[in-house]
Amino acid sequence: MLGSKKKYIVNGNSGIKAQIQFADQKQEFNKRPTKIGRRSLSRSISQSSTDSYSSAASYTDSSDDETSPRDKQQKNSKGSSDFCVKNIKQAEFGRREIEIAEQEMPALMALRKRAQGEKPLAGAKIVGCTHITAQTAVLMETLGALGAQCRWAACNIYSTLNEVAAALAESGFPVFAWKGESEDDFWWCIDRCVNVEGWQPNMILDDGGDLTHWIYKKYPNMFKKIKGIVEESVTGVHRESILDGLKRTTDMMFGGKQVVVCGYGEVGKGCCAALKAMGSIVYVTEIDPICALQACMDGFRLVKLNEVIRQVDIVITCTGNKNVVTREHLDRMKNSCIVCNMGHSNTEIDVASLRTPELTWERVRSQVDHVIWPDGKRIVLLAEGRLLNLSCSTVPTFVLSITATTQALALIELYNAPEGRYKQDVYLLPKKMDEYVASLHLPTFDAHLTELTDEQAKYLGLNKNGPFKPNYYRY
């Protein structure tokens, strides 16, 4: 998989007609070898939905009135009111951001140019629920150029860039999202995308599963016409994002700081490597003996959190578990210890236990709080324990180009797949598709791939055009 996002597609019912080719070879998605339980589909609201996310300061954050967008009557320049955003007048600012993003999304723009004549998504009605940023706007406009009709909501109550949502609404996209939604607003926006007279989706693009869950819960009959779902789950794999988030929020120097990273999976490995490179003294906690051994062999000391909690300067959670850092740990931390989370959900740090009368909360700046004990000790809590890299920093547009291009290709494949190719199951994206997306990005670097000779390809047992690695290969 490329980038920091894991992408899955879930086949719905029948497909149609043509299928697309990737680098001269047709290939199905590889069936995911593990069983998928009900938990991801049946949750009421994902923790990630209320994770704080602010990739840039929105133009409308401080200037807009407090009137809920649901109470406003707004129309775009074409007279359409089929949207709900903070302020449609901010569309010009959002358009500039989208144009900037297009420059760093070469593969998606190349796909738009190559395929817009063929219209491989003609007839597709895509309902989406993702972070609404400039990069997402480029994806949506690409899907539109390829023939799809789209309706969109935000997968996170803090993630929407209001000016970008306005630009999309001005361009005719039914967008229902604004930064700072309530939980009720969140579900209302999703419902406005789905429950439309005379329009029914046949494809879903989801990030976190909330849209899929809502349709499953409220409109199960819709699945009879849905051909498939592309699901994307965000992780903190991107190495630089932990440093970026900590620097932006605390302006700290990392050299000589003692840091404990809870979890040594993909996210933890990236965090540890980045912090070690900056001169930090890094400890690791882990429950899995294999990951623990990897940490030891990478030069990190494996400890229990209780053993180092009094001495460390920074505590970072990235386990995906709950109550990793408890109130007992928080009570024992040293003065000015920084506490943050890089896991997908906001369950890892027991923030609720800090909301008690004897503790004082003091807002320092956006996404930075001091929590002060009666004796004067304070800890620095970042993003209220929510996902740090999406709350306090950015993900490079070029990385998002990789993920957005694979999303577009997955939608094209599922929409055009003939009946019977995919069962009602969950499939991982094939290596062939990731390789194709990677190849579309290489010209940006003026990179030149070496090609196998026939003899070399035969020796390795490979097709000259790929895939070049088995499905189990981890990059």
Side-chain angles (χ1 to χ4, degrees), residues 76-189:
N76 63 18
S77 61
K78 301 178 181 64
S80 173
S81 59
D82 188 17
F83 63 88
C84 189
V85 300
K86 186 71 173 178
N87 187 351
I88 190 66
K89 296 179 181 179
Q90 295 295 326
E92 184 179 349
F93 291 111
R95 178 52 53 189
R96 295 172 189 170
E97 293 191 31
I98 295 169
E99 290 172 353
I100 292 173
E102 288 176 347
Q103 305 306 310
E104 278 289 294
M105 304 184 81
L108 203 57
M109 299 303 292
L111 179 64
R112 185 189 299 186
K113 184 176 181 180
R114 292 182 188 184
Q116 64 181 356
E118 303 170 8
K119 302 291 183 185
L121 290 176
K125 296 180 178 180
I126 303 171
V127 60
C129 184
T130 66
H131 298 291
I132 296 182
T133 62
Q135 296 81 13
T136 302
V138 178
L139 170 61
M140 291 172 61
E141 293 185 341
T142 298
L143 297 176
L146 301 185
Q149 298 178 29
C150 300
R151 298 181 69 85
W152 229 263
C155 69
N156 182 296
I157 63 174
Y158 295 121
S159 70
T160 301
L161 295 182
N162 289 330
E163 61 275 12
V164 171
L168 287 167
E170 174 59 31
S171 297
F173 286 92
V175 174
F176 300 86
W178 58 93
K179 187 172 184 177
E181 298 169 7
S182 67
E183 184 174 323
D184 181 66
D185 293 333
F186 174 81
W187 293 112
W188 179 86
C189 288

Side-chain angles (χ1 to χ4, degrees), residues 60-69 71-72 86-87 162:
T60 59
D61 281 351
S62 60
S63 59
D64 274 3
D65 59 51
E66 296 300 318
T67 305
S68 170
D71 298 328
K72 294 180 180 179
K86 186 71 173 178
N87 187 351
N162 289 330

Side-chain angles (χ1 to χ4, degrees), residues 175-370:
V175 174
F176 300 86
W178 58 93
K179 187 172 184 177
E181 298 169 7
S182 67
E183 184 174 323
D184 181 66
D185 293 333
F186 174 81
W187 293 112
W188 179 86
C189 288
I190 289 178
D191 194 71
R192 284 294 305 272
C193 287
V194 174
N195 186 16
V196 187
E197 185 176 353
W199 193 93
Q200 181 171 327
N202 51 27
M203 298 292 294
I204 295 174
L205 177 57
D206 209 353
D207 186 347
D210 289 312
L211 171 60
T212 304
H213 165 73
W214 186 256
I215 296 176
Y216 177 79
K217 179 181 176 182
K218 295 290 186 180
Y219 312 102
N221 288 334
M222 282 190 177
F223 281 106
K224 294 179 180 179
K225 293 189 177 181
I226 290 176
K227 299 178 183 297
I229 303 165
V230 176
E231 161 64 26
E232 175 180 26
S233 298
V234 180
T235 68
V237 175
H238 201 61
R239 291 183 175 215
E240 293 79 11
S241 57
I242 179 65
L243 299 181
D244 190 19
L246 286 170
K247 285 180 177 178
R248 290 184 187 222
T249 52
T250 66
D251 303 316
M252 74 177 306
M253 181 185 75
F254 296 99
K257 293 293 192 300
Q258 296 190 61
V259 185
V260 59
V261 177
C262 301
Y264 201 69
E266 291 182 334
V267 180
K269 287 179 174 69
C271 291
C272 290
L275 291 163
K276 182 179 180 180
M278 295 297 290
S280 298
I281 302 165
V282 183
Y283 304 95
V284 173
T285 72
E286 182 54 70
I287 62 167
D288 185 330
I290 295 177
C291 292
L293 181 59
Q294 288 177 321
C296 293
M297 295 177 69
D298 287 339
F300 302 109
R301 184 182 170 194
L302 190 73
V303 298
K304 293 183 177 180
L305 186 56
N306 284 333
E307 298 172 355
V308 296
I309 196 64
R310 290 186 182 276
Q311 68 193 60
V312 293
D313 302 293
I314 307 172
V315 178
I316 301 170
T317 57
C318 41
T319 69
N321 205 342
K322 63 181 294 186
N323 295 334
V324 177
V325 176
T326 65
R327 175 61 188 268
E328 180 183 357
H329 294 126
L330 295 161
D331 284 339
R332 296 174 59 200
M333 289 176 184
K334 64 190 287 188
N335 186 51
S336 297
C337 181
I338 297 169
V339 186
C340 61
N341 170 48
M342 280 290 285
H344 185 54
S345 301
N346 59 346
T347 58
E348 303 205 28
I349 302 167
D350 187 9
V351 176
S353 69
L354 297 176
R355 301 189 183 278
T356 55
E358 75 273 13
L359 300 183
T360 302
W361 283 62
E362 183 179 84
R363 175 54 57 97
V364 179
R365 61 176 73 162
S366 177
Q367 310 295 351
V368 182
D369 289 288
H370 281 162

Side-chain angles (χ1 to χ4, degrees), residues 19-60:
Q19 69 186 87
I20 61 173
Q21 296 184 2
F22 302 108
D24 303 321
Q25 181 176 334
K26 300 176 183 178
Q27 181 170 328
E28 297 181 9
F29 291 109
N30 302 297
K31 185 174 179 180
R32 191 182 183 194
T34 57
K35 294 182 179 180
I36 303 300
R38 297 180 181 177
R39 183 171 63 88
S40 62
L41 187 62
S42 62
R43 59 185 178 167
S44 61
I45 178 171
S46 71
Q47 295 290 340
S48 61
S49 300
T50 54
D51 283 354
S52 180
Y53 180 105
S54 178
S55 63
S58 175
Y59 286 100
T60 59

